[in-house]
Each structure stands twice: as structure tokens, then as C-alpha cells.
Amino acid sequence: TIVNNLVQGVYSFQLRVTYNSGVTATDIVMVTVNTATTPPTNRGGYYASPTGTGNGTFASPFRIADFWKVAKAGDTLNLLDGRYTGVSSMITPPQNLSGTATNRITILAFNDGKVDIDGERTNIPCKLEYNNYFLLEGFNVHHSPFQSSVITIVNSNNNIFKRVIGWESSDGNVNIWNLRASSNNLIEDCAGWGQARKIFGATQRADNNIFRR
């Protein structure tokens, strides 16, 4: 017997067997039907993973550093799940790479909260320097090197950070989030904790920046 089109739930099926002699026997089997799993959908843009060696597609991701070689205004980098380590896996675009007001450069976690960028006390996990009109969203960053903040924003304007979580800067006069000489940035639904002088800091002509929720 074939049973088709079952929806999610628990079903009981009774099996009855009749022997040639006329003797019968029965047994009951419980079957649990779960919701069908939908595979990830390629949503466009480039893709990076912690160990990527490919060309930046969903099926063949590259490293974060490879994105900087091709990135331009309007491009998106999707970060696949995992722990990112090493200098090639930090969010540190080259100076003067920028989007525009209508075409930002976007870097976001493919799955919110499942991207972990670990500086390992050696590399700055996230740094914008002379980078404007970026959108960064949905990832975790932590453990910056000596005298460095976890998220550093220097001479960079009109950027948006959403649901970016940072922790554990180095011991000393440094913050988790540090904005310096940067203006008109939005820090929304973000957080920080752990070792630091302050969680959020804005200094040296860091004007008109918004921290909310």
C-alpha cells in the first residue's frame, strides 16, 4: 500500500497479515511526518565562506578578501554560516571603496546570527576606513588585537549597521564600537559587551551618528 500527500503530523498504520491457514496477525506502526525542508535559495550577489576557494557563487564561494577585488557600488556579499578567521576573512575593505546613496555595497549574513568573525586577538574583525555607503547586517565580530576596537569606523560616512554584535576588544583605552571622524552613520539594533573601555564611542568630529534600539 502506498500513502501519499501526508501533511505534518503523527499517523498510525495497522498492518494485518493473513496466513494460508487462515490465522491472522496485526501490528501498528507510528509514523511522524515533519515539515518539508526547503533548500537554501540563491538570492543573488556574491558568496563567501570561512574556507572558500571558489569564484564567489553560491555553489562555489570565495573568501571575504576576494570580494574586495570585484566589489563596486550596488554589489552584495552574502556570508555563509560558520566561524571566519585569518586576515582574508575579516570585514576590512580597502580604503576608498564605496557605494553610493542609491547603490550601497552590502555585506550581510545569509542566516542572521550564524556568521562568527573572530579576530583571534590578531586581526581587526570589522573596519571601515574611507569607506562610504556600506550596509553591514546580521553577523557577530569579536576579539580584536592589542589597542584595537572590534568595530572601527574611521573617516567613513553614511554607512548603516544592522544587528551587528561585537564583544571583547583589547585591554586598554579602546571600545567595542569606535567611530572617529565619521558622520551620518546609522547603528541600529546592534550591541556590544565584554572587555572594553566603552561599548560605543564617537570622537574627533564624529557628528550626526544615530545609535538606536
Side-chain angles (χ1 to χ4, degrees):
T1 301
I2 299 175
V3 180
N4 296 315
N5 301 318
L6 296 178
V7 298
Q8 182 180 5
V10 179
Y11 300 84
S12 63
F13 296 93
Q14 180 175 279
L15 175 65
R16 181 174 180 175
V17 177
T18 302
Y19 296 93
N20 292 335
S21 62
V23 177
T24 62
T26 60
D27 197 4
I28 294 177
V29 177
M30 304 298 294
V31 175
T32 300
V33 177
N34 296 317
T35 302
T37 301
T38 302
T41 301
N42 185 337
R43 62 186 177 194
Y46 294 93
Y47 286 80
S49 73
T51 58
T53 58
N55 59 6
T57 63
F58 178 77
S60 182
F62 50 29
R63 298 289 181 98
I64 292 175
D66 296 317
F67 176 64
W68 312 135
K69 304 170 188 176
V70 297
K72 62 184 183 302
D75 282 345
T76 295
L77 176 63
N78 300 282
L79 302 178
L80 299 175
D81 298 357
R83 178 173 174 261
Y84 291 70
T85 60
V87 67
S88 295
S89 291
M90 303 294 103
I91 299 179
T92 52
Q95 293 184 12
N96 300 313
L97 175 63
S98 294
T100 67
T102 55
N103 287 288
R104 293 181 180 274
I105 295 176
T106 300
I107 304 172
L108 74 165
F110 192 80
N111 293 298
D112 245 32
K114 293 188 177 182
V115 170
D116 181 79
I117 299 176
D118 185 355
E120 299 182 296
R121 298 293 188 204
T122 302
N123 300 294
I124 298 176
C126 182
K127 182 177 182 179
L128 299 185
E129 187 170 11
Y130 295 100
N131 305 118
N132 306 316
Y133 293 107
F134 271 68
L135 168 62
L136 293 89
E137 187 171 350
F139 52 82
N140 301 324
V141 287
H142 55 93
H143 286 95
S144 56
F146 180 68
Q147 289 298 315
S148 298
S149 296
V150 177
I151 302 107
T152 300
I153 307 164
V154 181
N155 293 302
S156 298
N157 307 311
N158 301 295
N159 299 292
I160 299 174
F161 293 77
K162 292 185 177 182
R163 302 182 309 285
V164 175
I165 311 301
W167 64 91
E168 294 298 329
S169 67
S170 66
D171 189 19
N173 188 29
V174 291
N175 306 322
I176 302 295
W177 289 79
N178 186 46
L179 283 76
R180 187 169 76 248
S182 300
S183 300
N184 302 308
N185 296 287
L186 171 62
I187 316 297
E188 181 177 84
D189 295 327
C190 295
W193 62 81
Q195 181 174 267
R197 179 175 180 237
K198 298 178 181 178
I199 300 302
F200 295 98
T203 62
Q204 300 178 23
R205 305 183 315 280
D207 301 321
N208 302 314
N209 296 294
I210 298 174
F211 299 82
R212 69 185 180 199
R213 297 199 301 266

